[in-house]
């Protein structure tokens, strides 16, 4: 026994004396990031940092078709899809659902880049600032999605009092954090994005999955619109459009593929134009998947009816299908879809709404001209008529129809619906019929705020999280 004790003491002394030497040796088969290229590579890991899965917001809007079999199976998606206010969504969200973990995973990578880029080797100061700027915009966008998903919508009167989501800006493992107020989170998002602009985020980014200057401006326009600051939202939408104002010609795309699209028995996939070289991109960011062969969601028949007649973008993307007990519009396209990023189309539609909100003497001509700039590239020539509006309500209704359809599968229609619901004047109740029974979703329903997953509450790390909904 004495010899064993002596051996252990000797071994401990040896290990302690050699500790510093071992810390300076990289583990075999691993690379410790030191160069700027090492850290920038984190931005190219598309599956971990470039996804924005917001499925339950899409289910709540009924923008995604849920099969009859899944409707009849209790789940979080079923509770949202069927607008079941009696369901305990906190209990149903007992798994590690994607939205929270994917976005905080992306934030973690951004924190690591922002913390280490200033001292990274093999780079100039300008190159270091560029990579940091990319990370700041991505981090700000992730927080914008999180706060509009898990917290109540922005209300200037209560934003300083209501909780939002955990704000984690440190790259240190187990760093302390706070579940900040909604106002503090919006201030952080704006600050991060403006700092990226000051750092010199380039007008032409490294790749489509790196946000450019137009993306930073477009994100600020989105955030200020959510805050109902129409002057600032308009200013940044215009700045974004000065960087890029191109719109894709969906009429030409439809005509190119019309024979296959019009064939009622042909559901062969068409490669989507909404990927890396899409002319509308400021920043390409995926939704749920990042695989090339990923398909878009199928949509319900009632959702399809909300598209404008003759919408070439709709005609090119979905086709009616009857499959046993399910009838829906089946997705026709495959590829890399920019469902979570920032585009010129969104900037146009933010601009149109701000012009309508700020119009003098009920003159909505400028707002409608901006809206029509988008519509004329989408609506078939035999169906197209310039949109006009005599009242603010008419203008907002026309803009919102186009925006909800253009940005389907992104967080934007969900965030916009919450914003209009809060405003009250233009709030709307969602209505649908399922198996002969009518269902409705009130603009004041608690379902408009998503519950944190159980894993986040049970394992909060060096902080604490309080649930933002009762169920």
């Amino acid at each position: 026994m004495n010899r064993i004790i002596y051996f252990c003491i000797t071994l401990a002394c040896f290990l302690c004396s050699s500790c510093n030497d071992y810390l300076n040796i990289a583990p075999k088969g691993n690379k410790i990031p030191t160069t700027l290229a090492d850290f920038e590579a984190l931005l190219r890991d598309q599956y971990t940092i470039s996804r924005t899965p917001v499925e339950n917001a899409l289910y709540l809007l009924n923008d995604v078709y849920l099969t009859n079999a899944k409707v009849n199976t209790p789940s979080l998606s079923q509770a949202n899809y069927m607008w079941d206010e009696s369901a305990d969504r906190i209990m149903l969200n007992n798994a590690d659902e994607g939205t929270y973990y994917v976005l905080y995973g992306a934030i973690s990578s951004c924190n690591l880049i922002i913390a280490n880029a200033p001292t990274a080797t093999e780079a100039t100061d300008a190159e270091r600032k560029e990579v940091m700027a990319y990370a700041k915009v991505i981090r700000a966008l992730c927080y914008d999605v999180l706060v509009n998903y898990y917290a109540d919508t922005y209300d200037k009167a209560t934003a300083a009092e209501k909780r939002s989501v955990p704000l984690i800006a440190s790259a240190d493992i187990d760093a302390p954090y706070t579940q900040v107020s909604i106002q503090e989170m919006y201030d952080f998002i704006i600050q991060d994005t403006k700092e990226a602009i000051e750092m010199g985020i380039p007008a032409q980014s490294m790749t489509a999955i790196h946000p450019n200057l137009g993306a930073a401006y477009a994100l600020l326009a989105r955030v200020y619109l959510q805050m109902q600051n129409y002057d600032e939202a308009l200013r940044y939408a215009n700045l974004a459009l000065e960087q890029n104002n191109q719109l894709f010609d969906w009429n030409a795309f439809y005509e190119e593929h019309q024979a296959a699209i019009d064939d009622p028995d042909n559901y062969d996939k068409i490669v989507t134009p909404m990927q890396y070289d899409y002319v509308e991109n400021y920043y390409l960011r995926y939704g749920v998947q990042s695989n090339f062969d990923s398909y878009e969601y199928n949509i319900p028949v009632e959702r399809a009816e909300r598209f404008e007649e003759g919408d070439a973008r709709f005609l090119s993307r979905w086709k009616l299908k009857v499959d046993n007990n399910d009838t829906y519009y089946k997705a026709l396209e495959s590829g890399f879809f920019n469902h979570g990023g920032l585009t010129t189309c969104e900037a146009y539609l933010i601009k149109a709404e701000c012009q309508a909100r700020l119009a003098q003497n009920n003159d909505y001509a400028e707002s409608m001209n901006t809206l029509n700039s988008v519509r004329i590239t989408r609506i078939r020539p035999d169906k197209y008529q310039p949109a006009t509006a005599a009242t603010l309500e008419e203008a907002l209704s026309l803009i919102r129809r186009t925006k909800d359809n253009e940005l389907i599968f992104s967080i934007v229609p969900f965030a916009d619906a919450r914003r209009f619901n809060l405003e009250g004047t233009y709030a709307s109740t969602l209505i649908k019929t399922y198996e002969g029974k009518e269902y409705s979703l009130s603009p004041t329903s608690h379902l408009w705020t998503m519950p944190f997953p159980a894993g986040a509450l049970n394992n909060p790390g060096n902080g604490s999280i309080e649930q933002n909904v009762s169920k």
Side-chain angles (χ1 to χ4, degrees):
M1 176 66 73
N2 288 337
R3 274 198 277 179
I4 294 174
I5 294 172
Y6 175 77
F7 174 77
C8 290
I9 293 171
T10 303
L11 179 62
C13 292
F14 172 77
L15 291 175
C16 288
S17 65
S18 305
C19 184
N20 289 334
D21 292 333
Y22 283 126
L23 289 175
N24 291 325
I25 299 174
K28 289 183 178 180
N30 293 292
K31 177 180 174 61
I32 296 175
T34 55
T35 70
L36 185 66
D38 293 335
F39 290 104
E40 187 275 322
L42 294 172
L43 299 175
R44 298 172 186 260
D45 188 357
Q46 298 174 50
Y47 187 79
T48 59
I49 200 170
S50 295
R51 295 190 300 128
T52 310
V54 289
E55 294 100 318
N56 278 292
L58 309 184
Y59 287 129
L60 190 77
L61 292 173
N62 276 214
D63 280 352
V64 173
Y65 181 71
L66 200 64
T67 64
N68 288 320
K70 291 183 177 180
V71 167
N72 293 315
T73 303
S75 65
L76 180 62
S77 56
Q78 185 264 0
N80 285 315
Y81 189 79
M82 296 306 296
W83 305 330
D84 184 0
E85 293 190 324
S86 66
D88 187 346
R89 296 183 305 157
I90 295 172
M91 183 274 292
L92 292 170
N93 198 11
N94 58 7
D96 292 349
E97 52 108 274
T99 306
Y100 189 91
Y101 293 101
V102 168
L103 290 172
Y104 273 109
I107 288 167
S108 178
S109 294
C110 291
N111 289 343
L112 191 66
I113 292 168
I114 293 166
N116 290 279
T119 56
T121 61
E122 299 181 24
T124 66
D125 285 343
E127 289 168 339
R128 294 185 186 97
K129 287 181 178 179
E130 178 179 344
V131 172
M132 289 175 66
Y134 293 143
K136 279 183 172 287
V137 172
I138 294 172
R139 181 170 70 176
L141 187 147
C142 289
Y143 273 125
D144 179 64
V145 175
L146 287 164
V147 74
N148 278 288
Y149 195 83
Y150 293 110
D152 289 348
T153 197
Y154 183 89
D155 181 354
K156 187 175 181 179
T158 61
E161 303 165 6
K162 287 189 174 182
R163 295 185 305 269
S164 65
V165 299
L167 175 55
I168 305 172
S170 173
D172 295 340
I173 296 174
D174 205 32
Y177 68 84
T178 303
Q179 185 179 359
V180 297
S181 71
I182 293 172
Q183 184 65 59
E184 288 173 303
M185 181 56 74
Y186 271 80
D187 290 343
F188 181 84
I189 292 166
I190 291 170
Q191 176 184 325
D192 237 14
T193 311
K194 288 184 175 180
E195 286 179 356
I197 295 170
E198 292 169 2
M199 286 177 172
I201 190 169
Q204 181 66 46
S205 57
M206 288 183 179
T207 72
I209 61 172
H210 293 72
N212 59 23
L213 178 58
Y217 288 143
L219 178 56
L220 286 171
R222 178 191 289 183
V223 172
Y224 279 119
L225 181 67
Q226 198 67 25
M227 298 172 74
Q228 300 183 45
N229 186 335
Y230 305 118
D231 288 299
E232 286 297 277
L234 177 59
R235 182 166 78 89
Y236 281 107
N238 279 327
L239 286 170
L241 292 170
E242 287 176 12
Q243 294 296 311
N244 177 14
N245 65 359
Q246 295 185 77
L247 289 165
F248 184 76
D249 188 348
W250 279 92
N251 277 309
F253 182 84
Y254 171 77
E255 290 162 9
E256 179 184 354
H257 299 279
Q258 186 171 3
I261 291 169
D262 290 351
D263 180 351
D265 299 317
N266 187 347
Y267 289 92
D268 292 343
K269 296 297 180 182
I270 303 167
V271 176
T272 181
M274 297 184 292
Q275 40 195 351
Y276 295 124
D277 57 353
Y278 193 45
V279 297
E280 298 184 7
N281 285 343
Y282 293 124
Y283 169 45
L284 185 147
R285 188 175 179 85
Y286 311 108
V288 176
Q289 293 180 316
S290 59
N291 300 326
F292 179 78
D293 289 330
S294 65
Y295 301 153
E296 287 199 284
Y297 291 106
N298 302 322
I299 64 176
V301 172
E302 288 180 323
R303 179 63 184 87
E305 291 170 352
R306 298 209 300 272
F307 280 83
E308 189 173 349
E309 185 179 6
D311 188 332
R313 197 167 184 264
F314 166 76
L315 296 171
S316 300
R317 293 168 70 187
W318 296 281
K319 185 188 297 185
L320 185 66
K321 186 175 180 63
V322 178
D323 187 5
N324 295 322
N325 294 324
D326 292 291
T327 301
Y328 55 91
Y329 275 79
K330 183 174 178 60
L332 299 178
E333 295 184 2
S334 66
F336 296 101
F337 296 94
N338 190 0
H339 288 156
L342 295 154
T343 63
T344 60
C345 182
E346 181 179 356
Y348 272 105
L349 296 170
I350 290 173
K351 177 177 179 176
E353 179 176 343
C354 293
Q355 287 174 319
R357 298 277 191 175
L358 299 170
Q360 302 292 319
N361 302 317
N362 295 321
D363 183 359
Y364 303 104
E366 284 190 359
S367 173
M368 293 298 98
N369 288 341
T370 302
L371 172 62
N372 289 327
S373 297
V374 175
R375 291 181 61 252
I376 201 168
T377 65
R378 272 60 171 165
I379 308 304
R380 302 296 297 135
D382 61 320
K383 299 294 184 182
Y384 176 78
Q385 292 292 331
T388 60
T391 66
L392 178 59
E393 183 176 7
E394 288 179 1
L396 294 179
S397 178
L398 291 168
I399 295 163
R400 188 174 175 187
R401 174 182 65 178
T402 296
K403 194 176 181 187
D404 284 352
N405 292 335
E406 287 290 331
L407 302 178
I408 191 172
F409 306 150
S410 77
I411 190 66
V412 174
F414 178 73
D416 277 353
R418 287 159 39 103
R419 176 166 58 88
F420 281 101
N421 289 346
L422 174 69
E423 187 178 6
T425 306
Y426 309 109
S428 59
T429 298
L430 299 185
I431 299 172
K432 71 174 178 182
T433 301
Y434 181 77
E435 293 187 343
K437 182 178 177 181
E438 186 172 277
Y439 295 81
S440 64
L441 177 63
S442 164
T444 60
S445 173
H446 69 274
L447 298 178
W448 287 105
T449 298
M450 296 295 164
F452 289 121
L457 296 168
N458 297 335
N459 301 287
N462 194 8
S464 61
I465 306 175
E466 292 185 45
Q467 193 65 263
N468 286 328
V469 290
S470 59
K471 60 183 178 179

